Amino acid sequence: MRIQCVLITEGRFSLQANTIKCKAAVAWEPNKPLVIEEIEVAPPEANEVRIKIVATGVCHTDLYHLFEGMHKEGFPVVLGHEGAGIVESIGPGVTEFQPGDKVIPLFISQCGECRFCKSPKTNQCEKGWAADKYDVMSLAESRFTCRGQKVLQFMGTSTFSEYTVVNEMAVAKIDPMAPLDKVCLLGCGICTGYGAAVNTAKVEPGSTCAVFGLGAVGLAAVMGCKAAGAKKIIAVDINPEKFEKGKVFGATDFVNPKDHDKPISQVLSEMTNGGVDFSLECVGNVAVMRSALESCVKGWGVSVLVGWTDLHDFAARPIQLIAGRTWKGSLFGGFKSKDGVPQMVKAYLNKTVKIDEFITHKMALDQVNDAIELMKHGKWLGHALVLSLAVGIQ
Ligand SMILES: NC(=O)c1ccc[n+]([C@@H]2O[C@H](COP(=O)([O-])OP(=O)(O)OC[C@H]3O[C@@H](n4cnc5c(N)ncnc54)[C@H](O)[C@@H]3O)[C@@H](O)[C@H]2O)c1
Ligand SMILES: [Zn+2]
Ligand SMILES: [Zn+2]
């Protein structure tokens, strides 16, 4: 597929000379197919970087916004937040990037200056949409317009577009050797799951683990548990077709809740002499979050929420925590984004983390609705597809 972009040269002073017209998948309203449109991408403003997106994955959080969250003020929007590309131009004040740099846009920023960035305890940052916009999932300001209307930038990134504009505090410069159609998956799913195991749960050598949900996030969590030296990794999914992929990443045991008529926490407890040391919920379902907590051993079990939902409360009985279990959450696998992503790219190039094995489909941007349908119905093994927006320009 070729990128078709046109420079607008109208206007007396050519003020818009740098606006790019390109293709993007626009979500005009919740619960409807995306529409491939020609959008206008304004030039980068101060401290911003305009990126030619080369490839993007699809993450369940895109589907969450479209089909579950459905927050009216969060539309129209260009979804996608798991991409990789090449810097096309830079705005005033940008010194860290140059046109031609290979980059991954980051859905959580790392400004390096706020109290969160300065603390080694967290990867939260006070800047960007993730500071306080978990309902709308984008900032009010956007560099996109389509048919005369402002179109929002999902999670500050919007990778279902041939071009996007991102603040430099939310862009990671990566190794020029990195294949963009692979490392795009480090923009969300793989870092999220892997980091949730390694950074947030802090899985220990010789431990037992359970991972609920085997999409890219859960499979990456399995990979993280294995890298941390877990001896037993139980993969739990209601779709048994996922189990073969689970093996590839290091899962040792497989449980389909549909095969059991007792609570899954009881099944896991019986398999592990009282419960696992670590459990990770990678589904986004509050009932599964509870099961994951209850699957942990009392005394020291740690359960991590990775699945994304802000729609329902979740519950457990206080004694389950009083008895020594810990319940925590993990955003982007606990990685400080600008620091962590280039390191994960290096780990891939050094063959210490897998990426290729996650990729089951390659599609063009025009097929994004097919990709969404596949994910919605869990119809592909593993997960993670690459929309090859411009294969061949790397
Ligand atoms: N915390 C974060 O920073 C972060 C980042 C990215 C994604 N997420 C979230 O992680 C979750 C997983 O994302 P993904 O892209 O891998 O999704 P996915 O749709 O590819 O995978 C979800 C998996 O869960 C399985 N599943 C569904 N119901 C289940 C149940 N009751 N028990 C066990 N398994 C069940 C499905 O069969 C599927 O294999 C989503 O909620 C996503 O929004 C969170
Ligand atoms: Zn994601
Ligand atoms: Zn910050």
Side-chain angles (χ1 to χ4, degrees), residues 363-377:
M363 293 178 169
L365 181 60
D366 301 11
Q367 295 167 286
V368 66
N369 287 311
D370 298 340
I372 287 173
E373 281 306 302
L374 283 167
M375 174 171 263
K376 206 169 159 184
H377 300 292

Side-chain angles (χ1 to χ4, degrees), residues 183-207:
V183 298
C184 59
L185 300 186
L186 296 174
C188 184
I190 298 180
C191 287
T192 295
Y194 188 87
V198 173
N199 302 327
T200 312
K202 299 193 194 305
V203 169
E204 293 163 0
S207 58

Side-chain angles (χ1 to χ4, degrees), residues 109-118 124-127 169:
S109 52
Q110 187 185 345
C111 76
E113 286 164 7
C114 73
R115 66 192 174 115
F116 296 100
C117 282
K118 282 185 177 156
Q124 302 277 325
C125 172
E126 257 170 7
K127 309 272 173 64
M169 67 188 171

Side-chain angles (χ1 to χ4, degrees), residues 18-328:
N18 217 5
T19 294
I20 285 176
K21 280 187 175 183
C22 70
K23 241 196 305 189
V26 177
W28 287 106
E29 50 185 321
N31 215 6
K32 290 273 163 62
L34 310 188
V35 182
I36 302 295
E37 301 271 11
E38 186 178 73
I39 66 162
E40 285 160 24
V41 181
E45 296 190 7
N47 305 113
E48 292 178 344
V49 174
R50 188 160 59 187
I51 302 166
K52 184 182 189 107
I53 297 292
V54 171
T56 175
V58 177
C59 167
H60 202 107
T61 309
D62 300 312
L63 277 66
Y64 170 81
H65 187 73
L66 190 60
F67 301 115
E68 295 169 52
M70 299 200 288
H71 202 287
K72 274 199 197 111
E73 286 168 34
F75 293 84
V77 65
V78 173
L79 297 172
H81 59 283
E82 192 178 73
I86 294 173
V87 173
E88 175 271 340
S89 58
I90 55 173
V94 174
T95 52
E96 190 188 337
F97 300 97
Q98 287 185 345
D101 285 345
K102 283 191 179 176
V103 292
I104 291 184
L106 305 165
F107 73 83
I108 54 165
S109 52
Q110 187 185 345
C111 76
E113 286 164 7
C114 73
R115 66 192 174 115
F116 296 100
C117 282
K118 282 185 177 156
S119 167
K121 293 181 183 172
T122 182
N123 64 344
Q124 302 277 325
C125 172
E126 257 170 7
K127 309 272 173 64
W129 75 276
D132 60 356
K133 298 271 188 201
Y134 281 108
D135 46 1
V136 178
M137 299 190 84
S138 50
L139 291 172
E141 221 188 325
S142 168
R143 301 286 166 258
F144 292 169
T145 43
C146 181
R147 299 176 188 273
Q149 268 192 68
K150 177 174 75 174
V151 176
L152 297 172
Q153 291 185 239
F154 184 62
M155 295 173 100
T157 51
S158 285
T159 57
F160 295 170
S161 171
E162 290 174 330
Y163 285 85
T164 190
V165 177
V166 182
N167 192 293
E168 63 178 337
M169 67 188 171
V171 183
K173 195 193 298 197
I174 59 167
D175 194 311
M177 298 303 288
L180 297 177
D181 61 341
K182 304 284 190 333
V183 298
C184 59
L185 300 186
L186 296 174
C188 184
I190 298 180
C191 287
T192 295
Y194 188 87
V198 173
N199 302 327
T200 312
K202 299 193 194 305
V203 169
E204 293 163 0
S207 58
T208 55
C209 300
V211 175
F212 291 72
L214 297 180
V217 174
L219 291 169
V222 169
M223 179 164 73
C225 292
K226 185 173 178 193
K231 74 166 190 294
K232 195 180 187 71
I233 304 169
I234 306 170
V236 183
D237 202 299
I238 51 172
N239 179 357
E241 291 181 3
K242 303 277 183 148
F243 294 154
E244 273 308 306
K245 273 281 176 183
K247 268 186 211 161
V248 172
F249 293 99
T252 56
D253 298 77
F254 303 90
V255 173
N256 179 353
K258 289 184 177 165
D259 293 343
H260 299 272
D261 49 18
K262 53 187 164 191
I264 214 63
S265 54
Q266 203 180 321
V267 175
L268 296 197
S269 176
E270 287 164 11
M271 288 169 73
T272 55
N273 192 24
V276 296
D277 302 308
F278 300 96
S279 68
L280 297 112
E281 198 276 359
C282 304
V283 178
N285 173 319
V286 291
V288 180
M289 290 172 183
R290 182 172 191 158
S291 296
L293 175 77
E294 292 176 346
S295 301
C296 281
V297 66
K298 70 178 181 186
W300 58 76
V302 174
S303 188
V304 179
L305 309 185
V306 189
W308 192 282
T309 181
D310 197 26
L311 296 173
H312 310 284
D313 291 344
F314 66 127
R317 292 206 331 278
I319 194 65
Q320 294 170 323
L321 299 185
I322 293 167
R325 296 177 185 86
T326 302
W327 218 353
K328 338 167 62 169

